[in-house]
Coordinates of all heavy atoms in Angstrom, one line a residue:
L29 N -15.7 9.3 -13.4 CA -16.7 8.3 -12.9 C -17.9 9.0 -12.3 O -19.0 8.5 -12.5 CB -16.0 7.5 -11.8 CG -16.8 6.4 -11.2 CD1 -17.3 5.4 -12.2 CD2 -16.1 5.7 -10.0
E30 N -17.8 10.1 -11.5 CA -18.9 10.8 -11.0 C -19.9 11.3 -12.1 O -21.1 11.2 -11.9 CB -18.5 11.9 -10.0 CG -17.8 11.4 -8.7 CD -18.7 10.4 -8.0 OE1 -19.9 10.7 -7.8 OE2 -18.2 9.4 -7.5
E31 N -19.3 11.8 -13.1 CA -20.1 12.3 -14.2 C -20.8 11.2 -14.9 O -22.0 11.3 -15.3 CB -19.2 13.1 -15.2 CG -19.9 13.7 -16.4 CD -20.7 15.0 -16.0 OE1 -20.5 15.5 -14.9 OE2 -21.5 15.4 -16.8
I32 N -20.2 10.1 -15.2 CA -20.8 8.9 -15.8 C -22.0 8.5 -14.9 O -23.1 8.2 -15.4 CB -19.8 7.8 -16.0 CG1 -18.9 8.1 -17.1 CG2 -20.6 6.5 -16.4 CD1 -17.7 7.2 -17.3
K33 N -21.7 8.4 -13.6 CA -22.8 7.9 -12.7 C -24.0 8.9 -12.7 O -25.1 8.5 -12.6 CB -22.2 7.8 -11.3 CG -21.3 6.6 -11.1 CD -20.5 6.6 -9.8 CE -21.3 6.7 -8.6 NZ -20.5 6.7 -7.3
R34 N -23.7 10.2 -12.7 CA -24.7 11.2 -12.7 C -25.6 11.1 -13.9 O -26.8 11.1 -13.9 CB -24.1 12.6 -12.6 CG -25.1 13.7 -12.4 CD -24.4 15.0 -12.3 NE -23.8 15.4 -13.5 CZ -24.5 15.9 -14.6 NH1 -25.8 16.0 -14.6 NH2 -23.8 16.3 -15.7
K35 N -25.0 10.9 -15.1 CA -25.7 10.9 -16.4 C -26.4 9.6 -16.6 O -27.4 9.5 -17.3 CB -24.8 11.2 -17.5 CG -24.3 12.6 -17.6 CD -23.5 12.9 -18.8 CE -23.1 14.3 -19.0 NZ -22.3 14.5 -20.2
A36 N -25.8 8.5 -16.2 CA -26.3 7.1 -16.5 C -27.6 6.7 -15.8 O -28.3 5.9 -16.2 CB -25.2 6.1 -16.3
G37 N -27.8 7.3 -14.6 CA -29.0 6.9 -13.8 C -28.7 5.6 -13.1 O -27.7 5.5 -12.4
K38 N -29.7 4.7 -13.2 CA -29.6 3.4 -12.4 C -28.4 2.6 -12.9 O -28.3 2.1 -14.0 CB -30.9 2.6 -12.6 CG -31.0 1.4 -11.8 CD -32.3 0.8 -11.9 CE -32.3 -0.6 -11.2 NZ -32.9 -0.6 -9.9
L39 N -27.5 2.4 -11.9 CA -26.2 1.7 -12.2 C -26.1 0.5 -11.3 O -25.0 0.0 -11.1 CB -25.0 2.6 -12.0 CG -24.9 3.7 -13.1 CD1 -23.7 4.6 -12.7 CD2 -24.6 3.1 -14.4
T40 N -27.1 0.0 -10.7 CA -27.0 -1.0 -9.7 C -26.5 -2.4 -10.2 O -26.0 -3.2 -9.5 CB -28.3 -1.3 -8.9 OG1 -29.3 -1.7 -9.9 CG2 -28.8 -0.1 -8.2
W41 N -26.6 -2.6 -11.5 CA -26.1 -3.8 -12.2 C -24.8 -3.5 -12.9 O -24.4 -4.3 -13.8 CB -27.1 -4.3 -13.2 CG -28.3 -4.9 -12.5 CD1 -29.5 -4.2 -12.3 CD2 -28.4 -6.2 -11.9 NE1 -30.4 -5.1 -11.6 CE2 -29.7 -6.3 -11.4 CE3 -27.6 -7.2 -11.8 CZ2 -30.2 -7.4 -10.7 CZ3 -28.1 -8.4 -11.1 CH2 -29.3 -8.4 -10.6
R42 N -24.1 -2.5 -12.6 CA -22.9 -2.1 -13.4 C -21.6 -2.1 -12.5 O -21.7 -1.9 -11.3 CB -23.0 -0.7 -14.0 CG -24.2 -0.6 -14.8 CD -23.8 -0.3 -16.2 NE -25.0 0.1 -17.0 CZ -25.6 -0.8 -17.8 NH1 -25.2 -2.0 -18.0 NH2 -26.7 -0.3 -18.5
Q43 N -20.5 -2.4 -13.1 CA -19.2 -2.2 -12.5 C -18.5 -1.3 -13.5 O -18.5 -1.5 -14.7 CB -18.4 -3.5 -12.4 CG -19.0 -4.4 -11.3 CD -18.2 -5.7 -11.2 OE1 -18.2 -6.5 -12.1 NE2 -17.5 -5.9 -10.1
L44 N -17.9 -0.2 -13.0 CA -17.2 0.7 -13.8 C -15.8 1.0 -13.2 O -15.7 1.0 -12.0 CB -18.0 2.1 -13.8 CG -19.4 2.0 -14.3 CD1 -20.1 3.3 -14.0 CD2 -19.5 1.7 -15.8
A45 N -14.8 1.3 -14.0 CA -13.5 1.7 -13.6 C -12.9 2.6 -14.6 O -13.2 2.5 -15.8 CB -12.6 0.5 -13.5
V46 N -12.2 3.6 -14.1 CA -11.6 4.6 -14.9 C -10.1 4.8 -14.4 O -9.9 4.9 -13.2 CB -12.3 6.0 -14.8 CG1 -11.7 7.0 -15.7 CG2 -13.8 5.8 -15.1
V47 N -9.2 4.9 -15.4 CA -7.8 5.2 -15.1 C -7.5 6.4 -16.0 O -7.6 6.4 -17.2 CB -6.9 4.0 -15.4 CG1 -5.4 4.4 -15.1 CG2 -7.3 2.8 -14.7
D48 N -7.0 7.5 -15.3 CA -6.7 8.7 -16.1 C -5.2 8.7 -16.5 O -4.4 7.8 -16.2 CB -7.1 10.0 -15.3 CG -6.3 10.2 -14.1 OD1 -5.2 9.8 -13.9 OD2 -6.9 10.9 -13.2
K49 N -4.8 9.8 -17.2 CA -3.4 9.8 -17.8 C -2.3 9.9 -16.7 O -1.2 9.6 -17.0 CB -3.3 11.0 -18.7 CG -3.4 12.4 -18.0 CD -3.3 13.5 -19.0 CE -3.5 14.8 -18.3 NZ -3.4 15.9 -19.3
N50 N -2.7 10.3 -15.5 CA -1.8 10.3 -14.4 C -1.7 9.1 -13.5 O -1.1 9.0 -12.5 CB -2.1 11.5 -13.5 CG -1.9 12.8 -14.2 OD1 -1.0 13.0 -14.9 ND2 -2.9 13.7 -14.0
G51 N -2.5 8.0 -13.9 CA -2.5 6.8 -13.2 C -3.5 6.7 -12.1 O -3.5 5.8 -11.3
N52 N -4.3 7.8 -11.9 CA -5.3 7.8 -10.9 C -6.5 6.9 -11.3 O -6.9 6.8 -12.4 CB -5.9 9.2 -10.6 CG -4.8 10.2 -10.2 OD1 -4.1 9.9 -9.2 ND2 -4.6 11.3 -10.9
V53 N -7.0 6.2 -10.3 CA -8.0 5.2 -10.5 C -9.3 5.5 -9.7 O -9.2 6.0 -8.6 CB -7.6 3.8 -10.1 CG1 -8.7 2.7 -10.2 CG2 -6.3 3.3 -10.8
A54 N -10.5 5.3 -10.4 CA -11.7 5.4 -9.7 C -12.6 4.2 -10.1 O -12.5 3.8 -11.3 CB -12.4 6.7 -10.1
H55 N -13.3 3.7 -9.2 CA -14.2 2.5 -9.5 C -15.5 2.5 -8.8 O -15.6 3.2 -7.7 CB -13.4 1.2 -9.3 CG -12.9 1.0 -7.8 ND1 -13.7 0.6 -6.8 CD2 -11.7 1.3 -7.3 CE1 -13.1 0.5 -5.7 NE2 -11.9 1.0 -5.9
Y56 N -16.4 1.8 -9.3 CA -17.8 1.7 -8.7 C -18.3 0.3 -9.0 O -18.1 -0.3 -10.1 CB -18.7 2.7 -9.4 CG -20.2 2.4 -9.1 CD1 -20.7 2.9 -7.9 CD2 -21.0 1.8 -10.0 CE1 -22.1 2.7 -7.7 CE2 -22.3 1.5 -9.7 CZ -22.8 2.0 -8.6 OH -24.2 1.8 -8.3
T57 N -18.9 -0.3 -8.0 CA -19.6 -1.6 -8.1 C -21.0 -1.5 -7.6 O -21.2 -1.2 -6.4 CB -18.8 -2.7 -7.4 OG1 -17.5 -2.9 -7.9 CG2 -19.6 -4.1 -7.5
G58 N -22.0 -1.7 -8.4 CA -23.4 -1.6 -8.0 C -23.8 -2.7 -7.1 O -23.2 -3.8 -7.1
E59 N -24.7 -2.4 -6.2 CA -25.1 -3.3 -5.2 C -25.8 -4.6 -5.7 O -25.9 -5.6 -5.0 CB -26.0 -2.7 -4.1 CG -27.3 -2.1 -4.7 CD -27.2 -0.6 -5.0 OE1 -26.1 -0.1 -5.2 OE2 -28.3 0.0 -5.2
D60 N -26.3 -4.6 -7.0 CA -27.0 -5.8 -7.5 C -26.0 -6.6 -8.4 O -26.5 -7.5 -9.1 CB -28.2 -5.3 -8.4 CG -29.3 -4.7 -7.6 OD1 -29.4 -5.2 -6.4 OD2 -29.9 -3.8 -8.0
C61 N -24.7 -6.4 -8.3 CA -23.8 -7.2 -9.1 C -23.6 -8.6 -8.6 O -22.9 -9.4 -9.2 CB -22.4 -6.5 -9.2 SG -22.5 -5.0 -10.2
G62 N -24.1 -9.0 -7.5 CA -24.0 -10.3 -7.0 C -22.9 -10.5 -5.9 O -22.1 -9.6 -5.7
P63 N -22.8 -11.7 -5.4 CA -21.9 -11.9 -4.3 C -20.4 -12.0 -4.7 O -19.6 -11.7 -3.9 CB -22.3 -13.3 -3.7 CG -23.0 -14.0 -4.9 CD -23.6 -12.9 -5.7
A64 N -20.1 -12.3 -5.9 CA -18.7 -12.4 -6.3 C -18.3 -11.1 -7.0 O -18.3 -10.9 -8.2 CB -18.5 -13.5 -7.3
R65 N -18.1 -10.1 -6.2 CA -17.7 -8.8 -6.7 C -16.7 -8.1 -5.8 O -16.5 -8.5 -4.6 CB -19.0 -7.9 -6.7 CG -19.6 -7.6 -5.4 CD -20.8 -6.7 -5.5 NE -21.2 -6.4 -4.1 CZ -22.4 -5.9 -3.8 NH1 -23.2 -5.5 -4.8 NH2 -22.7 -5.6 -2.6
G66 N -16.0 -7.1 -6.3 CA -15.1 -6.4 -5.5 C -14.2 -5.6 -6.3 O -14.3 -5.6 -7.6
A67 N -13.3 -4.9 -5.7 CA -12.4 -4.0 -6.4 C -11.2 -3.8 -5.5 O -11.2 -3.8 -4.3 CB -13.1 -2.7 -6.8
A68 N -10.1 -3.5 -6.2 CA -8.8 -3.1 -5.5 C -8.1 -2.1 -6.4 O -8.3 -2.1 -7.6 CB -8.0 -4.3 -5.2
E69 N -7.4 -1.2 -5.8 CA -6.6 -0.3 -6.6 C -5.3 0.0 -6.0 O -5.1 -0.1 -4.8 CB -7.4 1.0 -6.7 CG -7.6 1.8 -5.5 CD -8.5 3.0 -5.7 OE1 -9.7 2.9 -5.9 OE2 -7.9 4.1 -5.7

Side-chain angles (χ1 to χ4, degrees):
L29 181 62
E30 290 305 314
E31 183 74 10
I32 290 171
K33 286 168 55 179
R34 187 181 68 75
K35 287 183 175 180
K38 186 174 170 102
L39 292 172
T40 61
W41 290 97
R42 305 245 189 258
Q43 289 180 293
L44 305 168
V46 180
V47 181
D48 66 27
K49 67 181 179 180
N50 296 317
N52 298 308
V53 176
H55 57 84
Y56 167 82
T57 299
E59 60 267 15
D60 293 326
C61 286
R65 65 182 184 188
E69 67 182 72

